[in-house]
Amino acid sequence: MGRVVVVTSGKGGVGKTTSTAALGAALARTGQAVVVIDFDMGLRNLDLVMGAELRVVYDFVDVIQGAAKLPQALIRDKRIETLFLLPASQTRDKDALTEDGVARVIEELRPKFDWVICDSPAGIERGATLAMRHADAAVIVANPEVSSVSDSHRIIGLLDAKTEKAEKGERIEKHLLLTRYDAARAARGEMLTIGDVLEILSTPLLGIIPESEEVLRASNFGSPITISDPSSALARAYVDAARRLKGEVVEMTIPSDKKGLFNKLLGRRASQQERMKTCNTEAGAKNLASDTRRTFMSDRLSGRTAVEPAVNSQQQKMKDCNATAGEQKLTGDARRTFMRSCLKGT
Ligand SMILES: Nc1ncnc2c1ncn2[C@@H]1O[C@H](COP(=O)(O)OP(=O)(O)O)[C@@H](O)[C@H]1O
Ligand SMILES: [Mg+2]
């Protein structure tokens, strides 16, 4: 019997569809039979990312409404024999997917595939709950920023309440996939740290996917990133995540591409400009002028005095909320609920 996995997030635009395609292709490349299902009716992004948009004849809704049999709607990938797609419909009718219909389709797919991967629409409404309904496991996709993390938190609540497993009193397996991680921005303190995200979501980490322009290029090309450029840092991060999903123990790293000399030089120039900017801002904030300002700037730029660490508002907020939760001695669910509302500022 195959495993049903939902790729979900709450917030839109965090990388669910990209991750569904990349993980699906990575699993299929190892010879496993994989079907990816697009639950995002109306948007229909997954067929584009898979490069199958011109091959769609029948879709998920046609199967549910009896206009086509399931095998007629499944599209086999041209590059990997064991990878299939069940496309979404163009319809914007939110009721086109019925509970019974979805249940029948999943039941028919489960014995035929090793993996049934459901690409959820954004939000916490019906579409998202239908996508997670039959899941054995969930991949919760989040970006390291407050709004994404707090939406993921709500999705975790739904996974524990509205899935078949939850109704049977069983726990759904949950994995956190941190996407669009930008090491440079993290170093500058412009994003939540990985530790912050893990602390609030308290869900085991499936992988860290770097921010990369390669994603756009691959999706324009209609190729999951794990097929188009398997040796890239991005693809390696997804391949590792897919292996962890299979239960393999793989050391957690943030793969990065080795930069060429040209990029290194560009990077150095950019970082010098960045330093100058930071020093200027600091001097401005301290109201320094003339000689004092010059001494301050030259000390800072030559590295004689350390730059004060930049604490961005997101990290500050997280720190404040954590401190209050600590003062109130909140733990477990109570702490998580408090953190959610505190981070949202309610
Ligand atoms: N690792 C990444 N680096 C850069 N851009 C990304 C990355 N992952 C996703 N994106 C981009 O973010 C946007 C949303 O991705 P998508 O997978 O469609 O998200 P969702 O399905 O959650 O709405 C797309 O434009 C996609 O190209
Ligand atoms: Mg999507």
Side-chain angles (χ1 to χ4, degrees), residues 20-39:
T20 302
L23 291 172
L27 289 166
R29 277 179 76 111
T30 66
Q32 306 237 289
V34 178
V35 59
V36 290
I37 309 182
D38 192 348
F39 272 79

Side-chain angles (χ1 to χ4, degrees), residues 116-127:
V116 178
I117 307 183
C118 306
D119 181 17
S120 175
I124 51 165
E125 314 289 322
R126 194 162 170 275

Side-chain angles (χ1 to χ4, degrees), residues 136-335:
D136 302 304
V139 172
I140 299 147
V141 179
N143 300 155
E145 50 172 83
V146 166
S147 62
S148 168
V149 170
S150 80
D151 283 359
S152 303
H153 202 258
R154 303 181 75 181
I155 277 293
I156 292 174
L158 285 185
L159 288 166
D160 286 333
K162 296 227 169 183
T163 50
E164 265 189 339
K165 282 224 155 200
E167 281 168 12
K168 284 195 252 168
E170 294 168 17
R171 259 196 121 74
I172 183 164
E173 190 183 305
K174 295 190 250 358
H175 305 273
L176 176 67
L177 188 64
L178 204 56
T179 59
R180 311 202 64 167
Y181 180 80
D182 186 329
R185 289 187 58 206
R188 292 201 297 268
E190 291 171 8
M191 296 187 320
L192 292 180
T193 67
I194 296 170
D196 283 341
V197 179
L198 288 179
E199 158 135 10
I200 181 156
L201 293 178
S202 52
T203 301
L205 194 56
L206 186 69
I208 303 162
I209 310 296
E211 169 82 17
S212 165
E213 286 170 9
E214 198 61 40
V215 173
L216 192 60
R217 223 169 306 143
S219 89
N220 284 338
F221 198 63
S223 175
I225 187 70
T226 40
I227 298 181
S228 63
D229 189 1
S231 63
S232 66
L234 192 66
R236 281 183 282 129
Y238 274 119
V239 166
D240 283 356
R243 289 178 58 198
R244 293 186 195 106
L245 197 58
K246 283 166 85 175
E248 290 178 35
V249 178
V250 183
E251 192 194 346
M252 188 66 66
T253 57
I254 312 171
S256 77
D257 287 311
K258 277 211 176 71
K259 288 198 171 133
L261 183 62
F262 183 64
N263 279 341
K264 262 191 199 151
L265 288 175
L266 273 182
R268 194 172 304 157
R269 189 178 310 156
S271 81
Q272 285 185 8
Q273 286 171 355
E274 201 58 47
R275 267 174 69 195
M276 177 67 91
K277 246 201 217 149
T278 317
C279 294
N280 260 324
T281 319
E282 256 189 276
K286 289 179 190 295
N287 284 325
L288 299 180
S290 56
D291 270 0
T292 342
R293 183 184 187 106
R294 270 192 294 278
T295 318
F296 171 83
M297 292 288 285
S298 85
D299 280 356
R300 275 283 197 273
L301 289 171
S302 65
R304 276 194 290 274
T305 56
V307 177
E308 286 157 16
V311 177
N312 76 347
S313 63
Q314 296 209 357
Q315 288 181 353
Q316 190 56 52
K317 211 166 171 188
M318 178 68 85
K319 265 196 195 138
D320 293 345
C321 292
N322 257 325
T324 317
E327 278 164 19
Q328 297 182 9
K329 299 197 170 35
L330 297 175
T331 55
D333 276 353
R335 185 184 182 105

